[in-house]
Amino acid sequence: DAGVTQSPTHLIKTRGQHVTLRCSPISGHKSVSWYQQVLGQGPQFIFQYYEKEERGRGNFPDRFSARQFPNYSSELNVNALLLGDSALYLCASSLGEWTEAFFGQGTRLTVV
Amino acid sequence: QKEVEQDPGPLSVPEGAIVSLNCTYSNSAFQYFMWYRQYSRKGPELLMYTYSSGNKEDGRFTAQVDKSSKYISLFIRDSQPSDSATYLCAMKGAGSYQLTFGKGTKLSVIP
């Protein structure tokens, strides 16, 4: 069985640009969450979606947005990129809204 | 005070040693506790998931939760060089979707 897949694995963007990150959850999982992990820190919660509805949002600015599609895949969008947005962006999928979360390999974003 | 405190290490042990990793927390609403292993530049891998005080064992790994002291531990027996990684504790409240992580402890197991 395929695990959580994220794309792209790496990308480099310039300050002020926009980026879209993609996530496909484990087959049968209906919940997707997004986390940001800065080097040397634990992941920080950004969003959770369950059954295509936003169920939670962390303490991130409005430049961050996300959505979940009918096939339960998800996109994370970040506008007006800042140098501080450089991080590993992790997607996690869960069978239900509150069950164990399984993470993908992440997308490493570098903003220059 | 951060909600979850975890000593970042680094922790270096000889192969075969018993490793003890710990986290403390301040939020009494946390009811579910997890340990993840993260290799360099990879996503976290779920090792243990517990929701009650006491011990849970899985192979060489034992997770221990003491809710009265707000203290959780992960023990690794017969440690192997392949256990070298960063170990993250995570927790969430009942009915909550948000995981709160510690900073992670970097472990090196020396052959």
Side-chain angles (χ1 to χ4, degrees), chain A residues 13-90:
Chain A
K13 290 286 190 177
T14 304
R15 274 183 303 173
Q17 284 189 314
H18 163 90
V19 69
T20 297
L21 310 181
R22 295 179 174 84
C23 172
S24 292
I26 294 170
S27 178
H29 285 197
K30 299 180 178 180
S31 175
V32 169
S33 300
W34 288 94
Y35 289 80
Q36 180 197 64
Q37 187 178 24
V38 174
L39 195 63
Q41 302 293 319
Q44 295 291 314
F45 173 74
I46 309 175
F47 286 109
Q48 195 222 16
Y49 278 79
Y50 179 71
E51 286 282 17
K52 292 150 282 183
E53 290 188 3
E54 183 182 305
R55 297 292 189 158
R57 169 188 283 258
N59 188 24
F60 280 80
D62 291 343
R63 300 184 296 107
F64 289 77
S65 63
R67 55 180 175 167
Q68 187 176 32
F69 298 100
N71 66 354
Y72 302 108
S73 67
S74 178
E75 282 183 355
L76 175 69
N77 295 283
V78 187
N79 293 323
L81 285 166
L82 304 174
L83 295 178
D85 294 332
S86 296
L88 181 67
Y89 287 85
L90 296 162

Side-chain angles (χ1 to χ4, degrees), chain B:
Chain B
Q1 180 189 12
K2 292 182 77 85
E3 281 191 296
V4 180
E5 299 279 1
Q6 184 176 11
D7 186 340
L11 179 63
S12 185
V13 301
E15 183 175 354
I18 296 175
V19 176
S20 173
L21 304 166
N22 311 294
C23 287
T24 60
Y25 62 96
S26 58
N27 189 342
S28 57
F30 288 144
Q31 297 294 319
Y32 296 86
F33 306 92
M34 286 133 276
W35 286 95
Y36 287 87
R37 177 174 64 194
Q38 187 173 29
Y39 292 112
S40 181
R41 296 184 169 267
K42 300 292 186 184
E45 173 192 6
L46 181 64
L47 290 176
M48 301 290 280
Y49 180 87
T50 60
Y51 52 84
S52 58
S53 284
N55 293 352
K56 179 179 180 179
E57 190 172 318
D58 185 359
R60 296 185 295 112
F61 299 94
T62 300
Q64 189 174 79
V65 173
D66 183 347
K67 290 185 180 179
S68 62
S69 301
K70 297 190 178 67
Y71 188 90
I72 67 170
S73 300
L74 178 71
F75 298 96
I76 307 175
R77 290 183 299 280
D78 187 25
S79 56
Q80 302 295 310
S82 58
D83 294 328
S84 298
T86 295
Y87 289 79
L88 296 156
C89 65
M91 45 200 79
K92 65 188 178 104
S96 173
Y97 29 74
Q98 176 179 342
L99 295 179
T100 300
F101 283 85
K103 291 180 70 171
T105 299
K106 187 171 184 179
L107 171 68
S108 294
V109 180
I110 311 302

